[in-house]
């Protein structure tokens, strides 16, 4: 199973983002653990961009290369109709994840334009949200 | 690890609820599969009630018997402050699950009184949401 | 035709509820008149509970025993998503009734979670609302 | 008992209006059945207009000729304060009816300017709503 | 000075409208008093219609015959953009009047589509509101 | 007839306030004209304060000295519940006036806490609003 | 192709309506130009009414005489559910037009009850909006 | 004087509820102090339930046994119309109390369905709120 | 214990304010009773002002002279952020009281800027609210 | 006449976007038809970007090369103030188009930040919306 | 350059106001530093009042004595239309300042009635906000 | 002191943007004046991008090179949560500036996602807002 993890703005500097919420680890460190965990079962690709258009371009250009997508659109979750339109174009299952529990944070983080167009949502488990999402994809694909 | 699965109103008749959304399986059938899956790793208890007060009573009376709780409060998710107050009393991690993707349904199902008081939320993966929640508890406990 | 009349909270003390709105008669007195009126045509069952969960339990457990349901969920009309989910599980026609004209009362009584899941609504005719609902069921069943 | 049935805009072409909701019968056909049903008991008059002012004029000019009114103001239900002011002028009981269950339709059909000024509301029983309304008038007059 | 008094829906039956608010007098009786009061100073024309379109037609067709307009659009005050558009077409001063104090009544009577397009508003003085409006026109014309 | 004209904040500098809306005349100049106009018929008192409490104190202390009150609370119209509570204490008729048409101005000037507690409202006739209000008091007292 | 142009309230006096927005031309003058433009290709009928009911009556009575409808309901665009219900009854394509750009005007002109029931919307091109609508009908019919 | 103290959901575990807000004392401990304090003056009964229906049942069944009621409906304060309907049925004075100052907590705890149907509200004095409520009942009964 | 009772606008004329709500007694009469009641236990000071600024000045200038404050800000409760900022400056406990049950009155009296900055709220017990507040202070100081 | 067609996010994959709404044709195919249609009359340039900033950059850099712009900002229509600010900088006429009728889709697609800054809007005619927009530009340039 | 610093309610006790936000310095101490800083360049006058009317009176009476005004209306920023009307009367530039960053505080402090009528706003720099405002006035006067 | 001035969309064409609001000067011209003004005291860097992602990338990549940031995010101020998340990652003080007074413009420009995460806000002083922001940074760094 080929899975794309697509990360949105500021997740490239995860280690700087409020350590209480995010744990102070870089995403690259976590990615290596994840690859080890799923070794032999899942082929994980990773793309991060701070640009709304960049995320859409990547989805368009790599559509046929994956069996499932795990997306953490970060701040764009709450403001981007364009990314949710791009997700609708995909024919493979897409899962929305959040590292922190967005319902414990500012009210403007409670609404997601992605949720109505994805399979399911996993939120609040720290970086483990990504692992759970890949587990979920297994059951779907 | 001892886990409580707590199900809210109408989930006792899951097999009748809109089969498109819920798959037409009874929860008891699923529970047996789940116990098999986690055999030797997790001891699963199950309680269902159609009564808001009944769910609270059960949580109060069994508080010390579990290492984690997976709660699907169904319709009470959206209307019960009392259950979310009961969840706050627990000292073990609690995970909110939904079988269907609530963001694809009526607007009044988009708000949850539970989300701000639980560890995390897993929603939209059919009955597999429960399995993922137990996997998530493993990483926490 | 077997019809269930299901009454929600405080309707057991109808004779005490604002006599201007409700007429000061007890529901039991009315029920006897109703049975006389429909004698030979309809078999009327009656259940009342002050508990949201109790109403749901009764519907679940007696689902197969009726050809139609007349429901006056009283205050739960405006607050219970759980009861409306239970009504959705039924395969027989359900009719929502109100004794008083809810649109002449407090604004929070103007919205009903039941209305979108029932066949029709009859409201404002005093206790006669129940008789009209049973007449309506005749045309449906 | 003399009853006026007052129908609002587009109900003259009932047979064309979304047959799923309205059943594809013309109102004139139904009216004949209704007259047969109530023969000897009720004298039914009928007036339909697509004009808000036309409906008000008719009510003003015929006020003294009826013992009760059954009104389906159709779209004007939701937009006309003027018709509800005209209804307030009447001293006989007025009943609001709707053919379809307006709570299953667009949100802007959920509010009625008529409901707070009528005796009661009957909605969702197809054309049978009119018959039930006349039954209800019997108990009032 | 030639003044048009333009009355909206239900004002033809003023004597029936909630006598507490309106005084139980017919508008025709009042009109005669008004003509006497302004005799020699003002030529008063009067038009009433229950139809939104009828009021607009009258304004269009008689535009050049008056030096000022006193308008009580009654219920259309709160619902008709069309009448306010017609008022904008006039080049003579227009004054909005209300017999009752609309701010003591239902909330939906507090907003007026006319107010932003007229010279001024006089409200709450019973039928005397009309006399005051004509006095006001004197100072303007 | 003894009438109090009570003016709120900034009306002491009427001549400076946006001349397009207010005409560039001082209120004192206007007051003299008004006294001349009503000479022999009305005894006019005048009080202005920029202080919410000052306006209330004046009403309390002079309650028994007038047969009617004309109040232009200016900005306090829209923000002061305290002044409207003071007006409720009066047993003589009170009329609310505005020089400009407040419905042509900022949205926050469209709501008045005074309107529901006064006899009537006169707005938009420039300084002539005051004269019309005194005329209206004549008919009431 | 037979096309009906249906104009709503105040458009009969287009030449008087805010010349900046509408250009000071009468609709009749424009209609002649339009007929010349489409000569031999389209048979244009025209109907205007200031009455909501009048517009509905015309649509009902002439339903079968046209291959397409161009509707500018003017102020009724924003207030009439009844006209949008009438449009739904038609089986030919209907196009909504506006002379001015309604999104540059008052907020209450931004919502249209017609838009969800028509083929498409053309707005802001002055009288040329009508010509474009007929061009659009060509592609549809 | 016979007084009923009626406590809603989760108050049975008061000693666990956020000790900063509630003081870490159990309600039973407090009750004994209260009985000592009012010894000889007031006969205090106590009932607690986590069930909305249970609270209503208790009120219905014990209506005649008390001269006054002190109610802390906890979370049901904000969600239960049914309990407020039950309170309306009582003919003795009812006082609403809250241990914490609900206006310092989440916004959804600021609205109470009970407040408009009780004599008065006492909130924010810790457990002392109950004593003050009984003192208040003395002055009423 | 030295207690300040601080009363806001119009409470100096309590005897005139809607006697049904306030009992027709003057506050000075009540104050004497209160002093008698607490004689030897509490030293009561009293200040009333109709001015928002006057109330703030008094609090600033007398801050050190009291062990607790009972405040009934009347209409300013609902409109004054400035008074609530002044209350925040105090280091002694402050209790908000209302004579009438504000939740039975106009909606704009349901929100209080004071509640989130005081110890607790007592409302609806008539003048007895003040006595209860002083009792509450005893337990705090 | 030189016209720029500027397309926003996901329109590069038009052929994949919900074929029911968009017809399953690629935009490039349509563009060729369009060029043929306007051959000799209009010189059409085309630019598409998935990036908000990319669309703005293109407008800035090519401002002087066109006599008119046809813009379909797709999802950015509803979220981008930045693009509407860029459109304001242009001195040539700009027309907003939409392929589908946005008023038949999700509520969040009903509001456009572009509409108040463009000449006019054409929406709902499928790809033909572009042709109509160019026709409209002809009449303007 | 003559500058007026006008401070609103509670700023006379700045040293007591939440020291974390305001730094625990009195405004008088700061004023001396400010005068030293601008010595020879600016003549600074200072007025503070806790009274809305007092602030307006001061502005009215001293209008001609300053070349610019720096206003911190504190709580009145959010509630006073009267002060913003007074500011409009001034012909010299006025600058709104806030010591704390009001956007980090309660939501009701986010809206300012002053902002739309002043030159500019400076907020969040502690007491330094005043110095920056005077610098800004230099560039304007 | 090293300061970054970060400008958002369309500010590269400042000279074209509504000259009344912005003064018709290019930002580059202003930047040279600013560098001269602060010569020897501040080292000013400048970056502008029309892309949300581009602004975030620049902040991420240059984080360590500045002692303070002055940000004018233009339209992104009101729509970008992503940029405000990036600002939170910075450990140096950030100041938000606006050239025009955004509170005099469209309502959708009144809310800023940046304000709650910056030190302070300076708005409405034309290009001088930037100079004031750098002066403010001096006092902070």
């Amino acid at each position: 199973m080929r899975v794309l993890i697509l990360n949105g703005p500021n997740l490239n500097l995860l280690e700087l983002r409020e350590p209480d919420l995010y744990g102070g680890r870089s995403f690259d460190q976590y990615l290596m653990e994840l690859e080890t965990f799923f070794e032999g079962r899942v082929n994980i690709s990773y793309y991060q961009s701070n640009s709304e258009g960049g995320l859409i371009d990547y989805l368009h250009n790599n559509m046929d290369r994956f069996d499932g997508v795990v997306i953490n659109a970060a701040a764009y979750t709450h403001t981007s109709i364009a990314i949710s339109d791009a997700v609708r174009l995909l024919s493979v299952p897409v899962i929305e994840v959040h590292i922190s529990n967005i319902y414990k944070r500012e009210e403007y983080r409670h609404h997601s334009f992605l949720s109505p167009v994805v399979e399911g949502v996993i939120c609040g488990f720290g970086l483990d949200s990504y692992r759970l999402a890949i587990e979920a994809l297994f059951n779907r694909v």
Side-chain angles (χ1 to χ4, degrees), chain A:
Chain A
M1 193 177 76
R2 298 159 305 162
V3 169
L4 169 65
I5 293 178
L6 190 65
N7 267 357
N10 298 301
L11 289 168
N12 52 321
L13 293 177
L14 191 68
E15 60 276 23
L16 299 184
R17 279 189 82 171
E18 306 156 50
D20 290 1
L21 289 171
Y22 295 102
R25 243 187 321 174
S26 81
F27 198 83
D28 285 341
Q29 289 173 298
Y30 175 68
L31 202 58
M32 282 174 7
E33 296 173 32
L34 205 61
E35 279 164 345
T36 307
F37 185 92
F38 284 109
E39 197 153 28
R41 291 195 296 156
V42 187
N43 191 333
I44 300 176
S45 296
Y46 176 60
Y47 184 73
Q48 190 273 342
S49 174
N50 291 320
S51 154
E52 192 176 4
L55 294 163
I56 297 167
D57 285 344
Y58 192 87
L59 279 174
H60 286 182
N61 297 333
N62 297 280
M63 236 176 217
D64 304 327
R65 295 185 33 231
F66 303 106
D67 303 310
V69 178
V70 175
I71 185 167
N72 180 348
Y76 292 144
T77 304
H78 318 297
T79 63
S80 174
I81 299 173
I83 295 176
S84 82
D85 281 355
V87 165
R88 284 188 189 182
L89 293 177
L90 303 181
S91 52
V92 297
V94 179
I95 295 179
E96 176 185 355
V97 299
H98 299 286
I99 296 171
S100 63
N101 181 339
I102 57 177
Y103 303 105
K104 291 186 170 161
R105 304 184 68 196
E106 299 93 338
E107 176 127 15
Y108 59 73
R109 294 195 208 266
H110 296 189
H111 175 265
S112 160
F113 280 112
L114 279 176
S115 297
V117 302
V118 297
E119 291 287 300
V121 181
I122 292 173
C123 131
F125 301 99
L127 289 167
D128 200 32
S129 295
Y130 291 90
R131 181 183 63 92
L132 294 165
I134 296 174
E135 297 278 12
L137 278 175
F138 254 93
N139 244 32
R140 299 264 140 172
V141 181

